[in-house]
Amino acid sequence: MPVQTTGHFTFANWEERAVGSSDAGPRLAHASVTNTFSGGIEAVDTTCEYSIVYVTEKTGTFTGMERLAGRLDGREGAFVVEERGSFGADGSVRCTFEVVSGSGTGELTGLRGSGSFTTGPGASSFPYTFHYDLD
């Protein structure tokens, strides 16, 4: 039976660069991001890489991979999640993520799960929900 855990993540750093020509839309970008998770997931200075499509100047979609190393409900290890999401003109972001099969290490070996978060404009810390199973 899946376990649900919750918490917050705080955006720590965002470095973005354009990819290819930006003469006409849609335009592509790549971002390297660092986050800190607290709550059920405890991970400081995560490693996250996003590929972004800007459909307009303020709307688009993204995909990415994020490595979280630390603890999940007290169990130590690391795992990677694949993220997919969209962002709106109002500054909101909606994202779902899924554990990459086989990426769990240490006490998180055999981890499976998925989660989501929604952010709003102007905040620096956002709630997440994560449902998971361990072998």
Side-chain angles (χ1 to χ4, degrees), residues 41-121:
I41 300 171
E42 296 175 23
V44 177
D45 294 334
T46 65
T47 301
C48 183
E49 298 293 326
Y50 288 124
S51 294
I52 306 164
V53 176
Y54 286 92
V55 177
T56 70
E57 200 55 38
K58 294 184 177 183
T59 64
T61 63
F62 61 91
T63 61
M65 297 285 184
E66 185 164 14
R67 181 178 185 274
L68 298 101
R71 288 185 169 73
L72 171 60
D73 288 337
R75 294 176 183 92
E76 192 166 341
F79 61 98
V80 175
V81 294
E82 179 179 6
E83 301 178 357
R84 294 183 177 276
S86 62
F87 50 96
D90 64 353
S92 65
V93 175
R94 288 177 175 71
C95 181
T96 60
F97 55 91
E98 186 171 336
V99 175
V100 173
S101 181
S103 69
T105 67
E107 294 177 302
L108 301 178
T109 299
L111 178 67
R112 297 176 312 279
S114 61
S116 64
F117 63 83
T118 300
T119 68

